[in-house]
Amino acid sequence: MLFVAVVVVVILSAIVVAPVVAGVAAVRKVRRRTRAQRHGLRTEGRCIRVETVRRYGGGRAPSTRRHYLFEYVTHDGRQVRFEDAAPHTTVPGDLLTVSYLPQDPEGATVALPGDRTAQRELGCLLAFLGVALVVSLVIAGAGIGVVSLFASGG
C-alpha cells in the first residue's frame, strides 16, 4: 500500500511541477524580450529565412506556424543570428529594426513600432501560471488525502 501511495505522490508532483517549470521558463523568455525592447540598443537587421511548418492530426484542424531567422551586426561589429516572431508579410531580405541588450545579443527581438506583444504574452503567461497554481494546489491536496488514506490503512 505504501508503494501505491508513493507512486501517486510522484505522479501528482510531476503534474504540479511540470506546468510551473514550463511557465517560469516562458516568463523568463518574455521578460528578456521585454527588457530588450525597452532598454536595448537598436540597429537594422535582415530577415534571412522564413520556414513554414504545418501540423496535422490530433483531431484538430491543421495549423501553420512560421519561424523567422534574422541576422544583425551589433554596435561592436559582432554578427548575430536569432529567431523571433514577425509580421506574416515578412520575407527573406526584408530589413527590420532589431533591439538587443549588449550583454545578451542572442536575446534580440524585432522591434516593431507600437508592438505590445511581449507585454500581452507576459500577461497571458501570468494568468496561466495563476490557474496552474490553483489546479496544482487542488491536485496536491487530493494527493495528501490519498496518502493519508493509505497511511491510516483505510
Side-chain angles (χ1 to χ4, degrees):
M1 288 298 215
L2 183 60
F3 175 75
V4 173
V6 169
V7 169
V8 168
V9 168
V10 168
I11 290 171
L12 291 175
S13 297
I15 291 171
V16 169
V17 170
V20 172
V21 169
V24 167
V27 167
R28 282 185 177 163
K29 179 180 175 184
V30 171
R31 286 189 67 221
R32 184 178 75 191
R33 181 179 175 160
T34 301
R35 276 195 312 273
Q37 285 183 352
R38 287 185 180 167
H39 308 291
L41 301 175
R42 293 185 184 248
T43 188
E44 188 174 79
R46 179 180 305 274
C47 176
I48 59 172
R49 186 174 70 220
V50 178
E51 184 178 314
T52 302
V53 178
R54 289 183 176 80
R55 294 188 183 175
Y56 301 94
R60 297 193 298 190
S63 65
T64 302
R65 181 174 169 101
R66 290 191 177 125
H67 296 272
Y68 298 90
L69 183 64
F70 298 96
E71 183 175 74
Y72 74 99
V73 177
T74 63
H75 286 85
D76 62 1
R78 184 172 158 209
Q79 190 170 9
V80 178
R81 289 184 175 188
F82 70 98
E83 289 187 28
D84 197 12
H88 287 293
T89 56
T90 303
V91 295
D94 282 357
L95 299 176
L96 295 153
T97 302
V98 173
S99 184
Y100 72 96
L101 296 171
Q103 66 272 22
D104 184 22
E106 287 80 15
T109 184
V110 173
L112 301 171
D115 184 18
R116 311 282 299 169
T117 303
Q119 289 80 6
R120 283 192 305 271
E121 286 176 355
L122 184 58
C124 290
L125 284 169
L126 291 175
F128 166 77
L129 283 177
V131 170
L133 180 62
V134 169
V135 169
S136 298
L137 291 174
V138 169
I139 291 171
I144 290 169
V146 169
V147 170
S148 64
L149 181 67
F150 280 114
S152 68

